[in-house]
Amino acid sequence: MINMPIGGTASNRFSHSPLGPLATVMDSAAEDAAVNLAQSQAHGLQFGEVTITESSLLTLVRHISELRVSPKADDKPEAHTGADFEFWIEGYVHWFSFVAQAKKMKLEGATDSREGVTTYDVGYEVGAAKTPQIDLLLNNPKPAVYVLYNTPGMGDSRGFNISLPNTYYVSQSCERAFLPFSDGITVVPGEAMKIAFQKTQRRAKVWKQYIKTSNKKHPHLTVSSTKAVSRFTTPRAFPWSCLAACPASSICPTLVPNLRLDGFERGVDVDNDPAYLVANAMYKLNVRAAEFEEDDWAYEGIQDLVEAGITSEVPAYVLDQGESDERVRIEDGTSVGSTADYVVILALDPELAERRFRDS
């Protein structure tokens, strides 16, 4: 289904999935991000979100021939939708689409990278109304996730997941199938990030006291009101390659049900349908994140959330690789070319697409 130029197959960790080659390349991009973030920090370089995003996307499109990325939008749709990415996965009958916001880990309450609290600025206020960016993202009708760029061993993160010294930023349920530094890029479901953000705000005084006692050189520093701390995001985070295939499917400590097929045509080979496979991965990530909560949201609600991304109506800017003049109207009346800065499209292998249209 997806061509791998080196070796031609997925790694053994993902060999059970038709999307294994994509997951393998995503793991490689995550490892590159971790190494580059650590080295850039050591050399005093910024290596910002745009650089990480574009280098990671370049890795994907270089190795996955069915993947393409549209040109970056000129009209800054992120300011209206809170989304950096808009993903479209082509299936045999339907497409699956979701949006994502990228956030680079930052350090709060310290000037030394070995101290302080690691955070993500998810509540950044945008527009004249100063709307928190996380609210804009979750107002999208499609499923939403956060894609997090993580620097190894920064600040308080060094105390996470002690059993595997190199893995700090993923749920402990992932540890046994995890590779060192593949947490350079992780993913957190949007609703789970909202909970992590709210927990951070409710415990603002606790973080202020933590910094005051652990960082005597800079006791005045504290966690910004727009941040979510990684101590709360990590238990809800998964390798971003899980969006394609889960390496822990055979050893995961909890059995997560599959997405029901309400949104897909009967008779479709869902075991090999890319749209269903990614939609099902999105469902499982949300269910696993919800299991961590004391008051988890219902499975039925997650089913509805994911089904909102299943569609047979595809905008022209997706089919035309971003070259269409078609505009998307946002709720405030603004019209933009797409709902995100980057439109990432995973199309069917030409042979499969030809078979699909021949059989229809």
Side-chain angles (χ1 to χ4, degrees), residues 295-312:
D295 299 316
D296 59 359
W297 52 89
Y299 283 6
E300 196 69 32
I302 298 175
Q303 172 84 23
D304 294 341
L305 175 73
V306 174
E307 282 192 354
I310 301 169
T311 181
S312 57

Side-chain angles (χ1 to χ4, degrees), residues 78-284:
E78 180 192 3
H80 306 286
T81 67
D84 284 316
F85 305 95
E86 181 181 6
F87 290 89
W88 286 87
I89 316 299
E90 185 180 15
Y92 296 139
V93 176
H94 296 289
W95 291 66
F96 179 64
S97 181
F98 64 97
V99 294
Q101 169 63 230
K103 287 295 175 185
K104 177 186 173 183
M105 172 178 284
K106 296 182 179 178
L107 196 64
E108 294 276 324
T111 55
D112 187 325
S113 64
R114 295 168 298 178
E115 301 174 347
V117 178
T118 44
T119 67
Y120 307 96
D121 194 1
V122 300
Y124 172 76
E125 296 177 343
V126 298
K130 296 189 179 300
T131 305
Q133 193 177 57
I134 189 169
D135 292 342
L136 288 176
L137 185 69
L138 295 182
N139 281 339
N140 278 278
K142 303 173 186 176
V145 298
Y146 275 87
V147 175
L148 306 179
Y149 303 143
N150 306 306
T151 303
M154 179 185 280
D156 63 341
S157 64
R158 290 173 295 129
F160 295 156
N161 299 359
I162 299 300
S163 60
L164 290 178
N166 288 326
T167 61
Y168 308 113
Y169 307 122
V170 292
S171 168
Q172 289 186 349
S173 64
C174 293
E175 284 189 346
R176 286 183 292 167
F178 197 72
L179 291 180
F181 300 114
S182 57
D183 60 346
I185 306 179
T186 56
V187 62
V188 175
E191 295 291 341
M193 179 60 83
K194 182 74 171 180
I195 292 173
F197 177 57
Q198 291 170 340
K199 283 181 176 288
T200 301
Q201 304 316 305
R202 287 199 298 267
R203 302 188 184 186
K205 292 183 179 179
V206 175
W207 294 113
K208 185 174 183 179
Q209 183 61 30
Y210 170 82
I211 293 170
K212 184 176 181 179
T213 56
S214 64
N215 186 11
K216 300 185 184 303
K217 293 181 181 178
H218 307 279
H220 61 286
L221 297 176
T222 187
V223 175
S224 165
S225 61
T226 65
K227 306 295 177 65
V229 297
S230 61
R231 191 175 295 270
F232 292 143
T233 62
T234 291
R236 301 164 172 84
F238 308 93
W240 82 315
S241 56
C242 285
L243 288 168
C246 177
S249 59
S250 61
I251 60 175
C252 184
T254 58
L255 295 176
V256 179
N258 286 321
L259 177 72
R260 294 199 311 271
L261 304 182
D262 300 5
F264 288 84
E265 299 291 334
R266 292 184 181 278
V268 170
D269 180 13
V270 294
D271 290 336
N272 291 289
D273 187 307
Y276 175 77
L277 291 172
V278 177
N280 194 36
M282 178 70 71
Y283 177 76
K284 288 177 177 288

Side-chain angles (χ1 to χ4, degrees), residues 68-74 315-327 337-338 342-345:
R68 65 180 189 265
V69 180
S70 76
K72 186 172 181 179
D74 294 328
Y317 65 81
V318 172
L319 298 176
D320 297 340
Q321 302 185 41
E323 297 175 359
S324 170
D325 289 332
E326 178 176 323
R327 315 297 282 178
S338 68
Y342 302 91
V343 181
V344 183
I345 302 128

Side-chain angles (χ1 to χ4, degrees), residues 34-110:
V35 171
N36 288 334
L37 281 163
Q39 292 183 348
S40 63
Q41 176 180 280
H43 293 288
L45 302 174
Q46 291 296 319
F47 203 64
E49 288 171 1
V50 172
T51 303
I52 307 168
T53 295
E54 295 194 342
S55 60
S56 298
L57 291 176
L58 181 60
T59 297
L60 297 186
V61 298
R62 181 182 293 153
H63 294 296
I64 304 297
S65 61
E66 292 82 5
L67 196 75
R68 65 180 189 265
V69 180
S70 76
K72 186 172 181 179
D74 294 328
D75 38 25
K76 301 186 183 305
E78 180 192 3
H80 306 286
T81 67
D84 284 316
F85 305 95
E86 181 181 6
F87 290 89
W88 286 87
I89 316 299
E90 185 180 15
Y92 296 139
V93 176
H94 296 289
W95 291 66
F96 179 64
S97 181
F98 64 97
V99 294
Q101 169 63 230
K103 287 295 175 185
K104 177 186 173 183
M105 172 178 284
K106 296 182 179 178
L107 196 64
E108 294 276 324

